Amino acid sequence: MTVRLGAGIGWRPEIAEGVEGMAGIDWVEAVAENVCPGHLPASLLRLRERGVTVVPHGVGLGLGGAERPDAGRLAALAERATALGAPLVTEHIAFVRAGGPLSASPRLEAGHLLPVPRTRDALDVLCENVRIAQDALPVPLAVENIAALFSWPGEEMTEGQFLYELADRTGVRLLVDVANLHTNHVNRGEDPARALAELPLEAIAYVHVAGGVERDGVWHDSHAHPVPRPVLDILTDLTSRVSPPGVLLERDENFPEPGELERELASIREAVEKGAAVRAGARAAKGTGAAGSRAGSTPDPGSGEPARQRLALAQTSVLSALVAGTPVPEGFDRGRMAVQARALAAKRAGVVAKVAPELPVLLGEGYRAAFLAYAQSRPMTEGYRRDALDFVEHLLLAGRPEDGRTRRELREWWLERSGPKPRSHRPVVRLARATRRVLLGALPRGTRGAGDDRTYLTSVALRGVRAVGEPDPRATFAHREHPHPRQDRGRGGARGH
């Protein structure tokens, strides 16, 4: 059953108060990974009490990846849908990680939504992954087309054909992002009108609208700029063909005043109404009614392990080139891959700065350059919080920064967060910790090379650790085998939503 949503806006904590005060908002979309089911934000609770629908929008499943969806991530998404009373949940047609047993290589995290190849192998894997997700979720699933900076060589289908077959084989709903259609028009030369003509329009759950920016001939789906006219024109084209159940404005950064967002929403309504008028005129001229629905979905035969293995090898080689500096696979545009690699590193630095805001404060203007240098040789293998800890450990073991006070503050920050549980703040523990710092500060340190810093970090952790119940340093340095238990809440976001 199609859920009529109406006009909506992406809910973000930075604009929560403004969203609550906006007139004509029927629903909001919240990033699923940023919502804690047991502690829903007060703003979302107030909106729900007013009858505003809340839809969780996931960014971390990686349905387009070679591996089957992680059961824990699916359970978390299901829990959020239930807590929010959502009529549906949404995710992306993308891969966000690669490596692992299927490719016999280390796991890598993109921290971003990356395009899947439009091939039979990728479609077969995606269909099976979507089926698995549908079975695990308590409400219907809709999946979104993403924006891309690069193309895969040897693709066998257009975007419209790929999405049509996906919907036909699985019955999944589609979240059509018209801003992403514009992005792919600029970056990949794809015709938005052709994509819309090939889509199963009756499968549309709702529509995303967002802004971006062009740099050096490349369109970046930033979600940080006003919606441009070409995106609104694509929205008009879509609504001239079908009446979408909902249309939503996305904004993730550089948040303007509520009044500017309301003006953007008004422009979106105008574009929708313009398309509806065209549709009504065409319908009257033809004397036809509304388009019919599909009779049903075609049974999915499943993907099979060989297809997963081929896809795993291809995605791992691409992601490794983007984040680990390995050679770009044959057939890819090296220039575009370089643009994507820089974008991933910049986003990674930005998200780490958000999840660990103390680091840009401590490192000042040197934070970004230091992080980008670290990222060149250290691909992300877990989440952003683990990445922040690894970055600081990398600096300390290299004897950086040169300023002793800043280095001590970074060391304290690292020790505070690196163990399996937070350090105790009981008065007796804090007194023991302060006493230990004074005593250790009087010890001769010798030279400050990498080995000395590691020795010092270990000695700091060892002296008095067990007496005051602080983290076991062996667990601290084994973090790559034992991931940090706290869940990442950074928008893995990924752009291209």
Coordinates of all heavy atoms in Angstrom, one line a residue, residues 154 303 347 402 418:
G154 N 32.2 -1.1 -18.6 CA 31.5 -2.3 -18.9 C 30.1 -2.5 -18.3 O 29.7 -3.6 -18.1
S303 N 21.4 -14.8 -6.1 CA 22.6 -14.3 -6.7 C 23.6 -15.4 -6.9 O 24.3 -15.5 -8.0 CB 23.2 -13.2 -6.0 OG 23.6 -13.6 -4.7
K347 N 36.0 14.4 3.4 CA 34.8 14.0 4.2 C 35.2 13.3 5.5 O 34.7 13.6 6.5 CB 33.9 13.2 3.4 CG 32.6 12.8 4.2 CD 31.7 11.9 3.5 CE 30.5 11.5 4.3 NZ 29.6 10.6 3.7
E402 N 54.8 18.9 17.9 CA 56.1 19.2 18.6 C 55.9 19.9 19.9 O 56.7 19.8 20.8 CB 56.9 20.1 17.7 CG 57.4 19.4 16.4 CD 58.3 20.3 15.5 OE1 58.5 21.4 16.0 OE2 58.7 19.8 14.5
S418 N 40.3 5.4 24.9 CA 40.8 4.2 24.1 C 40.5 2.9 24.7 O 40.6 1.9 24.1 CB 42.3 4.4 23.9 OG 43.0 4.4 25.2

